[in-house]
Amino acid sequence: MSKAAAEAKQPVNAYGWAARDSSGVLSPFNFSRRHEIVGQVTSIGHNVTKFRVGDIAGVGCIIGSCGPCDNCKQDLENYCPKMLWTFNGHHEDGTRAFGGYSDNMVVEERYAILIPNGFALAGTAPLLCAGITAYSPLKYFGLSKLDRHLGVAEFGGVGHMAVKFAKAFGAKVTVISSSPSKKKEAVERLGADSFLVSHNQEQLEVIIKY
Ligand SMILES: [Zn+2]
Ligand SMILES: [Zn+2]
């Protein structure tokens, strides 16, 4: 598929958080990984069928690959020798991809996800990295069953998502964190069933016995 045929251009409203720079502070200027992106489709290529102009698209960390190689055919596009990163990848014409802080970006249709109308963009963007990072193993390892009791170790971006998905699946969730201050958010806001402080030996021993 030619680049023109596959392209869907987006967005003005782009959200690209998913990494921290060396200062530990999220910054649009100092780090290069921006791959949790949602935005509005502003134009589409001739063969695009999944999107219309005006739709909301989500993009993760890959925006292109060759298509016909064995890896691509087996849904292992991340091993494709021509895989194109959302950030710092180079399109065929040499144009560099700047990820989620671009005003506009070009992505193959295959790597764009149609976001339903009415989703809050800022709240949807984290699904494209932290979200899928938590969701994929929950499904792959069969942990999305109602009778499971999951432990979520550490409560950052991916941990938040793990709690939200696991609760949505109906599982019981215990958050294990080194920061006692996160208990309120884990339990009261996201509905975790219990919270353990990872350096509290007594608490951990209880759970080990259990
Ligand atoms: Zn990420
Ligand atoms: Zn390939």
Side-chain angles (χ1 to χ4, degrees), residues 3 63 84-85 88-98 106:
K3 184 177 157 196
I63 54 174
L84 184 60
W85 288 110
N88 291 333
H90 286 84
H91 291 279
E92 276 177 39
D93 65 0
T95 312
R96 190 170 158 205
F98 289 100
V106 176

Side-chain angles (χ1 to χ4, degrees), residues 1 62-84 108 110-111:
M1 194 183 294
I62 299 176
I63 54 174
S65 68
C66 83
C69 80
D70 284 348
N71 288 322
C72 282
K73 281 193 210 151
Q74 293 173 56
D75 295 333
L76 298 169
E77 297 96 331
N78 48 319
Y79 295 118
C80 172
K82 293 191 175 170
M83 186 264 287
L84 184 60
E108 282 183 28
R110 176 180 174 135
Y111 297 103

Side-chain angles (χ1 to χ4, degrees), residues 17-19 33-36 61 87 128-130 133 158:
W17 314 109
R33 294 178 182 270
R34 313 140 199 159
H35 52 265
E36 297 181 329
C61 64
F87 40 86
L128 278 305
C129 181
T133 301
V158 178

